[in-house]
Amino acid sequence: MGTVHARSLDPLPMQGPELGVHADDIEPPDMEQEPKQEILENKDVVVQRVHIDGLGRTKEDLLSYEISDVFRARNLIDVMKRSHEARQKLLRLGIFRKVEVVIDTSRGEDALPNGLDVTFEVTELRRMTGSYNTMVGNNEGSMVLGMKLPNVFGRAEKLTFQFSYGTKETSYGLSFFKPQVGNFERNITLNAYKVTGQFPWSSLRETDRGVSVELNFPVWKTNQTLKWEGVWRDLGCLARTASFAVREESGHSLKSSLAHAMVIDTRNSSILPRKGGLLKIHQELAGYTGGDASFLKEDFEIQLNKSLFWDSVLSASLWGGLLLPIGDKPTSIADRFYLGGPTSIRGFSMYSMGPQSEGDYLGGEAYWAGGVHLYTPLPFRPGRGGFGDLFRTHFFLNAGNLCNLNYGEGPQAHLKKLAECIRWSYGLGIVLRLGNIARLELNYCIPMGVQSGDRICDGVQFGAGIRFL
Amino acid sequence: MSLAADAFVSQMAAAEPWPESATLYQPLKEDQILLSECASSLAVQAYLRMCGLPVQVVCKANAEYMSPSGKIPFIHVGNQVVSELGPIVQFTKAKGHSLSEGLDDIQRAEMKAYMELVNNMLLTAELYIQWCDDGTAAEITRPRYSSPYSWPLSTILAYQKQWEVRRKMNAIGWGGKNLEQVYEDVSQCCQALSQRLGTQPFFFNKQPTELDALVFGHLFTILTTRLTSTELAERVRGYGNLLSFCRRIEQTYFEDRTS
């Protein structure tokens, strides 16, 4: 009677779904004798007990749902597979630093001859982790303090706090996350924040103080989000030379809005995916729960990817949005859409497209943007198998339009307006993948269809970000 | 602004004549504008009318935040934005319109002194009565100031402004005063102005100057604004020559205005 260990592998990141470890990465069980191996594999087993050792403040009822599947295993390989899945589920709760699985034959009085005991040995995360950074930027320095309290009350709740104190601005954010016990994908997040932003393309300075409540839940294959947000917005001119149109938008306003988003994501990765697609539809209705701003905002994002021959990927994406003011008040510059820059229509300066006044871009109420990319490995594949795999070359074609619609006219007129004055660009460049979140791009772009008032950046353009067209 | 930037702006201003489309911005007249803001705005309007420069008055709820200095009123002329009476006088001077050219140096110094008096006494008294007197603040000022916004932003902004004004009052030494003392100060200021005016039509005899516009703006607004008590208006009414001065300016420059 040997013991079988299914040991844990390298420590995995605490976050989210992309753990990058697959069931076939487990080492095969270390058997003593050949003939016994066959017998063990085909033998029916019953999982009698599942223990979790090493719990401190975590409550047991939270975990029983995650490990319940293990009991249903019928043979040894099945036990190992289900234990591994249960381990993944425990890790995605974000409350354990390490989870190890030990499978042993059952002992004790009521032990069956083919009974197994599965034990999860867990190490909880520390009660509080903190971080402190100093940042120095353009004429300003700031001190950033972060605090994270995972598993505050024992059921995978998480409290995060970030505070940034700078020479020019102060901002902070407090967030409380609580998943439903037994159903981690259903969760609620409460946020309170103050953020400040400076937008030189519009000569605008914006300070937002807000609270929001967000509810996430999966429905069949989609992920749905419902959110209520209340924001006090303070707009101002960034410089004395701001255009009068921007000056007219200065002042305070209150936005209270309900938003709904639906996401279907079948891609294998969010940065440089090789296959799958993304559909994201987002709508926001402001004004019916109080506040000064009153509008209906719709936008969508579609992306499709297909692997071609020779390790290259063809990717197509389409973005679009519409902002409809309700009532007779005009829309605010803080709610409108912006287009252009290394993350959307390459070859144009950041958000420097569409309606503008004296060089300040005011944003538009309707837009669409599309892109087609061909990603290939670097020519001659330097650094293959290691660092070189993070880079890709891409050839792209981007097109789009941003304008204000005259809502008195019908949809035919709207489509016509969006279809005239299309800006587009093409080019090639190198993409660098940063972890699983961001990417850097260095492109050579040739903008076309430039309208008067747009600011272009033809030639070499550098971009960094999370969401790219 | 630095001296060099100042000179440059004056040069640019002097280059263009006064356009037809000049606009003056102030808060909403019916529901929002306060005593002190109305007084300052009326002073600028009177000054521009005295110069013969046409200007259109536009009311906007966020006028205070649109202004480059945060004070009402401000004018938008061509593509320049100038706020408050002092800079506006400079600005029109650069364009070649001035009311105080005929004055000699002593008179100009005297005019500046009286304008400082009005700003330090009358304007401060108006701010005190609006924001530091609890009755007026609760009944009139805070509701008016917060009227364009929805709850809870309205409450937050009104109290924020009140704290700011009270802090400023404390800083200049008016925090310890009570209402009686403030009315006394107003009376004294009116007495000084009345004595200077005497029986002349304007402060500097025949021609109006920016001092006349400033005094008119404040006194006329005090006389015609309804507050929780009529004490302030009564104090001003005690000086007959100031009353006739206000009436005279109103009739001469504002007769086309609908009250």
Side-chain angles (χ1 to χ4, degrees):
Chain A
M1 300 208 271
T3 25
V4 175
H5 287 269
R7 298 216 61 94
S8 69
L9 297 168
D10 311 319
L12 293 173
M14 293 299 116
Q15 264 21 26
E18 314 231 358
L19 296 174
V21 175
H22 302 283
D24 43 24
D25 283 2
I26 306 175
E27 298 164 20
D30 194 15
M31 292 295 123
E32 282 141 10
Q33 284 144 30
E34 278 294 334
K36 273 205 182 149
Q37 181 180 349
E38 273 189 46
I39 298 171
L40 275 169
E41 269 182 15
N42 297 331
K43 186 175 168 182
D44 267 348
V45 296
V46 168
V47 178
Q48 287 197 275
R49 269 183 289 270
V50 179
H51 307 271
I52 305 187
D53 283 344
L55 292 181
R57 62 181 189 275
T58 316
K59 303 277 185 286
E60 295 240 352
D61 55 0
L62 171 74
L63 305 173
S64 51
Y65 291 95
E66 315 294 341
I67 57 176
S68 61
D69 240 12
V70 180
F71 284 102
R72 282 198 246 128
R74 286 290 144 241
N75 61 49
L76 187 62
I77 298 295
D78 209 13
V79 169
M80 281 164 45
K81 197 163 77 151
R82 285 179 193 263
S83 311
H84 186 77
E85 279 166 11
R87 176 173 171 275
Q88 302 251 60
K89 282 202 203 169
L90 288 174
L91 281 172
R92 76 145 165 42
L93 292 176
I95 57 183
F96 299 125
R97 192 182 326 164
K98 216 165 43 157
V99 177
E100 293 190 3
V101 185
V102 176
I103 308 177
D104 196 359
T105 48
S106 357
R107 294 169 217 265
E109 295 130 20
D110 54 341
L112 297 174
N114 60 347
L116 289 181
D117 270 355
V118 181
T119 311
F120 291 93
E121 286 167 5
V122 302
T123 321
E124 285 179 343
L125 288 173
R126 277 207 302 262
R127 254 188 206 277
M128 182 166 92
T129 49
S131 68
Y132 173 80
N133 304 319
T134 35
M135 300 202 303
V136 178
N138 255 349
N139 285 338
E140 75 168 302
S142 60
M143 169 189 100
V144 183
L145 192 69
M147 254 179 11
K148 192 153 71 162
L149 283 81
N151 204 8
V152 184
F153 301 120
R155 292 194 172 84
E157 302 93 352
K158 188 160 73 167
L159 189 68
T160 28
F161 178 64
Q162 189 175 40
F163 178 71
S164 161
Y165 181 75
T167 48
K168 280 192 193 164
E169 316 274 8
T170 315
S171 60
Y172 48 80
L174 180 71
S175 168
F176 178 72
F177 167 83
K178 177 167 171 54
Q180 185 184 34
V181 171
N183 205 341
F184 189 74
E185 278 72 26
R186 279 204 203 170
N187 48 62
I188 188 168
T189 312
L190 298 156
N191 280 318
Y193 59 88
K194 173 191 169 198
V195 290
T196 49
Q198 301 195 335
F199 310 117
W201 47 82
S202 307
S203 296
L204 188 73
R205 184 185 44 77
E206 179 175 347
T207 303
D208 284 352
R209 295 171 179 86
V211 293
S212 73
V213 179
E214 191 177 317
L215 203 64
N216 278 315
F217 50 94
V219 170
W220 190 40
K221 289 201 186 130
T222 71
N223 199 21
Q224 312 270 340
T225 308
L226 283 177
K227 179 172 172 182
W228 172 82
E229 187 176 24
V231 191
W232 164 18
R233 294 185 302 203
D234 178 7
L235 297 171
C237 297
L238 197 55
R240 219 175 176 294
T241 50
S243 67
F244 199 73
V246 171
R247 196 174 274 284
E248 277 183 319
E249 304 259 9
S250 311
H252 299 265
S253 66
L254 186 67
K255 179 183 89 158
S256 164
S257 68
L258 291 168
H260 166 254
M262 179 186 85
V263 177
I264 305 178
D265 193 350
T266 58
R267 303 173 301 177
N268 66 321
S269 156
S270 50
I271 305 289
L272 297 179
R274 292 183 161 274
K275 58 181 165 92
L278 168 73
L279 173 66
K280 199 191 270 189
I281 300 183
H282 174 261
Q283 45 235 2
E284 186 177 356
L285 178 66
Y288 284 88
T289 46
D292 302 317
S294 183
F295 59 80
L296 174 65
K297 191 175 188 182
E298 296 271 350
D299 63 278
F300 70 89
E301 188 179 328
I302 301 176
Q303 192 189 83
L304 295 166
N305 303 285
K306 186 164 171 51
S307 275
L308 300 175
F309 49 87
W310 289 341
D311 204 14
S312 57
V313 177
L314 184 68
S315 173
S317 50
L318 180 66
W319 293 354
L322 185 68
L323 176 66
L324 202 66
I326 299 177
D328 47 9
K329 249 210 245 183
T331 55
S332 164
I333 197 173
D335 295 318
R336 292 188 214 127
F337 298 105
Y338 294 84
L339 198 59
T343 55
S344 49
I345 312 244
R346 297 165 179 83
F348 289 80
S349 289
M350 191 77 188
Y351 293 151
S352 301
M353 259 172 65
Q356 54 98 19
S357 159
E358 297 169 40
D360 291 334
Y361 293 91
L362 307 172
E365 291 169 357
Y367 84 103
W368 67 271
V372 175
H373 295 253
L374 179 67
Y375 294 98
T376 63
L378 290 178
F380 311 117
R381 299 187 178 236
R384 189 176 185 171
F387 192 58
D389 279 346
L390 294 172
F391 288 88
R392 307 279 277 167
T393 9
H394 75 135
F395 303 87
F396 62 86
L397 173 68
N398 292 144
N401 194 6
L402 175 74
C403 60
N404 287 320
L405 296 179
N406 187 352
Y407 290 109
E409 303 163 359
Q412 293 280 46
H414 295 164
L415 286 175
K416 186 157 159 300
K417 187 128 191 249
L418 283 170
E420 64 191 18
C421 309
I422 296 181
R423 287 91 161 162
W424 58 283
S425 70
Y426 61 94
L428 69 140
I430 300 182
V431 180
L432 168 65
R433 175 198 180 117
L434 285 183
N436 222 2
I437 319 168
R439 78 190 217 192
L440 301 178
E441 283 191 8
L442 188 66
N443 299 317
Y444 185 83
C445 322
I446 300 159
M448 312 281 285
V450 181
Q451 303 297 317
S452 70
D454 295 345
R455 207 174 291 153
I456 61 169
C457 178
D458 63 348
V460 177
Q461 188 178 41
F462 175 74
I466 305 174
R467 182 175 169 253
F468 282 80
L469 177 65
Chain B
M1 280 207 293
S2 69
L3 284 175
D6 237 337
F8 180 67
V9 167
S10 303
Q11 282 281 68
M12 282 194 359
E16 298 148 9
W18 190 268
E20 283 297 318
S21 61
T23 349
L24 180 139
Y25 288 87
Q26 65 174 27
L28 302 174
K29 205 162 159 129
E30 286 300 317
D31 301 313
Q32 190 192 13
I33 198 168
L34 299 174
L35 175 62
S36 52
E37 294 167 345
C38 194
S40 307
S41 174
L42 193 57
V44 170
Q45 286 178 55
Y47 175 75
L48 290 174
R49 281 176 191 247
M50 287 172 185
C51 291
L53 299 171
V55 74
Q56 201 191 2
V57 176
V58 171
C59 296
K60 281 226 154 192
N62 60 339
E64 183 184 353
Y65 305 105
M66 280 168 69
S67 161
S69 69
K71 300 247 181 9
I72 305 293
F74 69 94
I75 56 172
H76 180 217
V77 176
N79 60 355
Q80 300 242 307
V81 178
V82 192
S83 66
E84 296 180 79
L85 183 64
I88 290 176
V89 169
Q90 299 270 46
F91 181 73
T92 51
K93 201 157 157 192
K95 288 209 183 284
H97 306 269
S98 176
L99 294 179
S100 54
E101 269 160 355
L103 304 179
D104 59 35
D105 285 339
I106 301 175
Q107 286 177 316
R108 196 162 294 148
E110 209 184 331
M111 181 186 75
K112 285 207 194 333
Y114 274 100
M115 284 178 77
E116 279 302 301
L117 175 72
V118 172
N119 278 330
N120 288 342
M121 283 291 188
L122 276 185
L123 181 60
T124 317
E126 285 164 5
L127 284 173
Y128 183 95
I129 293 168
Q130 275 171 192
W131 292 105
C132 300
D133 173 36
D134 292 319
T136 318
E139 270 181 53
I140 298 180
T141 319
R142 283 203 303 265
R144 282 185 76 91
Y145 187 79
S146 59
S147 58
Y149 305 104
S150 45
W151 186 88
L153 187 60
S154 50
T155 322
I156 297 174
L157 287 178
Y159 276 100
Q160 204 178 42
K161 179 80 181 178
Q162 183 172 303
W163 288 332
E164 192 188 309
V165 174
R166 288 194 182 182
R167 253 205 326 266
K168 196 156 56 163
M169 290 290 137
N170 285 335
I172 58 173
W174 281 56
K177 293 197 182 186
N178 64 14
L179 214 49
E180 260 314 302
Q181 288 172 319
V182 170
Y183 288 141
E184 263 312 302
D185 285 335
V186 170
S187 286
Q188 281 181 358
C189 178
C190 290
Q191 187 170 23
L193 289 171
S194 179
Q195 272 182 333
R196 180 66 184 83
L197 183 62
T199 50
Q200 301 167 72
F202 301 110
F203 278 92
F204 290 96
N205 207 7
K206 295 288 188 260
Q207 294 303 318
T209 57
E210 44 264 35
L211 175 61
D212 300 275
L214 184 63
V215 171
F216 169 75
H218 281 272
L219 294 184
F220 188 82
T221 314
I222 291 175
L223 290 169
T224 54
T225 304
R226 216 184 9 205
L227 292 174
T228 50
S229 93
T230 53
E231 179 71 27
L232 189 61
E234 290 304 316
R235 298 281 179 141
V236 173
R237 256 185 251 279
Y239 299 91
N241 60 349
L242 292 179
L243 282 181
S244 49
F245 167 77
C246 288
R247 212 170 294 130
R248 195 179 318 122
I249 295 204
E250 189 199 355
Q251 281 167 352
T252 321
Y253 295 103
F254 287 91
E255 73 257 20
D256 51 14
R257 217 174 80 144
T258 51
S259 54

